[in-house]
Amino acid sequence: MKRGVRLLQGYLWVPRGLAFDPRAHLPKEALLEGTRVHLLLDPVGPPFAFFDDGTTATQAFYQFTALVVTEAEPESLRPLVARLRDWLAPRLEATPPGVGWLLLEDLRGV
């Protein structure tokens, strides 16, 4: 039976004065060796006191989730997570200075 499985979960942040929308920069999905990975990016309030230097209020935050619909067991998807990280890296590195991200492996069903 197919179910949704998270691959990566995390946040992107953008300085509030920067004219950059990561939802327009990142595609809504990736096709990796025949597997469709859905990329969700939703604006959220600061998840917690994110920065030690107090600059959380100057950032716009987005929650990032990458998931697949699959019959595979979550643990078997680790190689797909590695391919996804490699695929995402140049796209994230191409964001303007000041844009940051924290993406962590999260192999759980949704």
Side-chain angles (χ1 to χ4, degrees):
M1 176 187 208
K2 289 192 174 191
R3 62 183 171 162
V5 176
R6 272 181 244 163
L7 302 175
L8 295 174
Q9 182 81 34
Y11 298 97
L12 274 80
W13 55 92
V14 178
R16 288 198 186 275
L18 186 61
F20 175 76
D21 184 350
R23 295 170 297 181
H25 179 74
L26 292 173
K28 294 182 192 270
E29 62 184 30
L31 190 58
L32 302 173
E33 297 178 17
T35 301
R36 187 174 312 280
V37 179
H38 302 277
L39 306 174
L40 310 174
L41 198 56
D42 300 301
V44 294
F48 44 85
F50 208 79
F51 300 105
D52 290 336
D53 65 2
T55 60
T56 300
T58 65
Q59 307 292 319
F61 285 85
Y62 298 84
Q63 183 170 341
F64 178 90
T65 305
L67 64 94
V68 294
V69 177
T70 183
E71 292 180 355
E73 289 300 314
E75 286 297 317
S76 71
L77 298 172
R78 286 189 191 280
L80 181 58
V81 171
R83 288 193 305 275
L84 178 58
R85 285 183 185 276
D86 290 344
W87 183 87
L88 278 171
R91 289 159 177 83
L92 292 171
E93 294 294 332
T95 59
V99 174
W101 58 88
L102 174 65
L103 304 178
L104 303 171
E105 184 179 283
D106 186 3
L107 293 171
R108 293 185 288 162
V110 290

